[in-house]
DNA sequence: CATGAATGAGACTTCATTCAT
DNA sequence: TATGAATGAAGTCTCATTCAT
């Protein structure tokens, strides 16, 4: 009985979170009212506040749920026996596939948290930075192995890599870039190609 | 007399714009009130509405003023007789120097417009895209010349290049990255190095 | 079995009432939520509504339980063969000892009911007035006996007497007056001394 | 012009304060909405917030305006060459006349602040205590002069005196006591009579 | 008896914008 | 041009109460 209730409760909570994703993606976090979330979820206004302390906490929860999965994936990859290039490819794959699988959720995370560094992002700056650091770690070890040049600092390389992916996702999100399975696969390859081999056919050392 | 008055008026307008930069940078666009701008400028509340139709128009103006200068610079560069790599370097230089010269203004433009794609950025999506297209044009012609490989689409290359720069600026803005003249110069070189030559010492063609 | 259950039920009810005293005393009636009472009592949210029709009824019950005891005590005293001064002393004693014995309950009754004449007090105005009238009756008969002067109307004398006690209790409650066994005994004497003999060494008849 | 505007502004502020007195007196502070005040004053909702930071600040202002006048009056009286009894009479007069002159304002101050010790009163406890202390000072000096007995502590005497007056005013406010010019004058005399000469015809020293 | 999820009206406060002077 | 008082719509959050289990 209690177990049953807990399950039902968990389902309502999930119902609200899923509704929030749709509403945030459609209207934007600041442009939507809490009642929009409740309406979308088909529950009463106050129930949102039964499960979450505030509107912010709803977005918080969505972000952390997903971001932590990504951090775990990166940490896991890092431990595997792969060449650095493949590690970066796997990270790019995970992010692109996340978008393919749930574009609305990724839109919310990128637009409302990751890129909204002014307001909400500040709260999660540390969490976001953690991702950069994990990527920088991969680069650093690749440099130690001699697989990567040491002309670029690891931290900086991580920024460039993540920045490129985020920009591509932004392109899809704001529909300034064509979307589709072909494009998704191409993007994974190209971002790694660009960062690992560069655009130039030949460039003298600076 | 009329001319003199016009000049005074123009100065008041500028006073308000400059104050807005400081206030937006400090508090964020959504977190500040119109009265904060007026207070910072030392003018009356309503005067902001004498020179601007709305709070949005103030940010609008700040963004367009600067962004158009950048577009002009890129267009101008594109016409010059430089190798592609130097064109990219010049663009990176312009953006980094813009930040060095007026970090508050660049913070506002990046945080509140360029990255705030959810709300304000939408308005200027076309203007922002224009920059990508100019950069893509440079890449495209470099590929035609044989200076750049054609494994990466121009549009995509532009996103990666601009994404890397924006991410670095974000690092400075949110103070997750050290700032200073050395870092500024290093950043210019490294972003171009990364995008043109890649990180890998050697990578087989995919 | 039924009796046993009734007893258990009665105990739960008492549990809730006692918890309510602590919560009301700590947070104030309006500042606390029904769930705070339930939490303090260690029972489920809805159980409060099983025993009481509303949050108001909880306070209602606490007030009436205690106030009726006081009215009975006064009525009882009035029938005894005591000089008026000793009757007043006994009333003052009862009230002060009530506070000594259960300061939280008295705090709630005075702060949230007796003095909260704006909202809750209105409900019990008649009950509160009843106390004044009983005291006024004592004074009236004392005047008929010649023990008290008839320069002050009985009703008025009752207000002054009760007002003085309430003010002293307020002093203890809000900690603007030192508390302790000595002070409690002193207060009983002084309030009667003041009201019966006055402060002045000598005052001409007005 | 500026002076004119300031005057107009001050008048609107006063308009809101006066409306607030009527609304608070009629509905009670907690039971009225800010819009009720605005409606009563015939101004827009937001104007209340133009002149006051919050609903609380409106009540705050009303209380302090009046209470400070009273404190000044008491301080002033204290410096005059009057017998203690006349000083107490003057204080009682001032309070009773305040009620006669503006019963709604006094109702608000007593019901919502002075007696609402639970919530709002706490804020002004110090201010309220100041009044007790001034009265206690009068008693103390009267005892030093030999005009008052020293069987009752000054602080306690002040509480009894003020408590008696407050209780009488409460009686008028809640209409459990008849009101009228005769009653007002009588009250002034009787409260002083009670406190200075006592109710008893003869009482042995305790 | 007991539970606590679900409901939804209500209130404060904010602030962009307008407008009379 | 300049001022800042005035407007009022909008949105978050609270919490007493109900109800299904």
């Amino acid at each position: 009985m209690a177990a049953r209730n807990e399950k039902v409760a968990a389902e309502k909570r999930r119902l609200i979170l899923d509704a929030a994703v749709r509403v945030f993606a459609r209207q934007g976090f600041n442009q939507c009212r809490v009642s929009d979330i409740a309406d979308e979820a088909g529950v009463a206004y106050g129930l949102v506040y039964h499960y979450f302390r505030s509107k912010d906490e709803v977005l918080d929860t969505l972000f952390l749920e997903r971001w932590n999965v990504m951090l775990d994936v990166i940490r896991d990859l890092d431990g595997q026996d792969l060449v650095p290039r493949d590690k970066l490819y796997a990270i790019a794959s995970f992010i692109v596939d996340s978008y393919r699988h749930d574009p609305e959720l990724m839109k919310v995370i990128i637009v409302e948290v990751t890129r909204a560094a002014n307001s909400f992002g500040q709260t999660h700056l540390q969490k976001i930075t953690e991702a950069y650091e994990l990527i920088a770690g991969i680069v650093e070890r690749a440099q130690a192995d001699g697989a990567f040049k040491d002309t670029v600092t690891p931290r900086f390389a991580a920024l460039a890599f993540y920045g490129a992916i985020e920009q591509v996702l932004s392109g899809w999100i704001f529909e300034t870039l064509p979307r589709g399975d072909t494009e998704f696969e191409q993007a994974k390859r190209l971002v790694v190609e660009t960062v690992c081999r560069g655009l130039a056919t030949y460039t003298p050392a600076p």
Side-chain angles (χ1 to χ4, degrees), chain A residues 96 99-100 172 177-187:
Chain A
V96 169
Y99 180 74
R100 179 178 6 211
W172 291 331
L177 214 56
R179 240 175 330 182
D181 283 353
T182 319
E183 283 78 9
F184 293 146
E185 292 313 311
Q186 189 191 33

Side-chain angles (χ1 to χ4, degrees), chain A residues 7-187:
Chain A
K7 199 183 160 191
V8 168
E11 278 163 9
K12 275 282 166 73
R13 198 185 129 93
R14 179 46 52 194
L15 205 63
I16 291 169
L17 284 170
D18 291 346
V21 168
R22 294 192 296 276
V23 175
F24 290 165
R26 195 192 313 135
Q27 305 175 233
F29 178 77
N30 285 302
Q31 282 62 49
C32 89
R33 294 173 295 169
V34 173
S35 69
D36 293 332
I37 302 175
D39 289 351
E40 177 81 24
V43 302
Y45 196 82
L47 199 62
V48 177
Y49 285 92
H50 187 80
Y51 287 106
F52 304 94
R53 252 187 302 274
S54 67
K55 189 184 166 189
D56 277 19
E57 203 184 84
V58 177
L59 179 51
D60 244 34
T61 305
L62 290 172
F63 168 72
L64 287 175
E65 270 185 5
R66 191 72 205 156
W67 199 260
N68 281 330
V69 170
M70 187 184 78
L71 292 180
D72 285 346
V73 165
I74 299 179
R75 272 190 214 100
D76 186 55
L77 273 170
D78 204 9
Q80 290 180 26
D81 186 27
L82 293 168
V83 297
R85 188 196 156 94
D86 289 349
K87 287 184 180 175
L88 295 187
Y89 182 83
I91 293 171
S93 278
F94 177 80
I95 296 175
V96 169
D97 288 340
S98 292
Y99 180 74
R100 179 178 6 211
H101 176 260
D102 194 343
E104 289 186 318
L105 176 58
M106 285 303 278
K107 176 175 179 179
V108 169
I109 287 176
I110 292 198
V111 170
E112 306 295 349
V113 185
T114 279
R115 291 184 70 90
N118 49 340
S119 49
F120 220 89
Q122 282 287 28
T123 319
H124 295 298
L125 215 49
Q126 194 267 326
K127 211 76 191 170
I128 296 169
T129 303
E130 213 171 307
Y132 299 155
E133 281 164 359
L134 286 172
I135 298 171
I138 292 174
V139 172
E140 195 168 15
R141 256 158 289 125
Q143 292 177 329
D145 291 353
F148 277 12
K149 295 176 283 190
D150 60 2
T151 43
V152 176
T153 66
R155 184 60 192 271
F156 182 86
L159 284 181
F161 173 69
Y162 182 80
I165 297 180
E166 201 192 78
Q167 209 70 14
V168 172
L169 260 72
S170 299
W172 291 331
I173 288 167
F174 301 116
E175 303 180 17
T176 59
L177 214 56
R179 240 175 330 182
D181 283 353
T182 319
E183 283 78 9
F184 293 146
E185 292 313 311
Q186 189 191 33

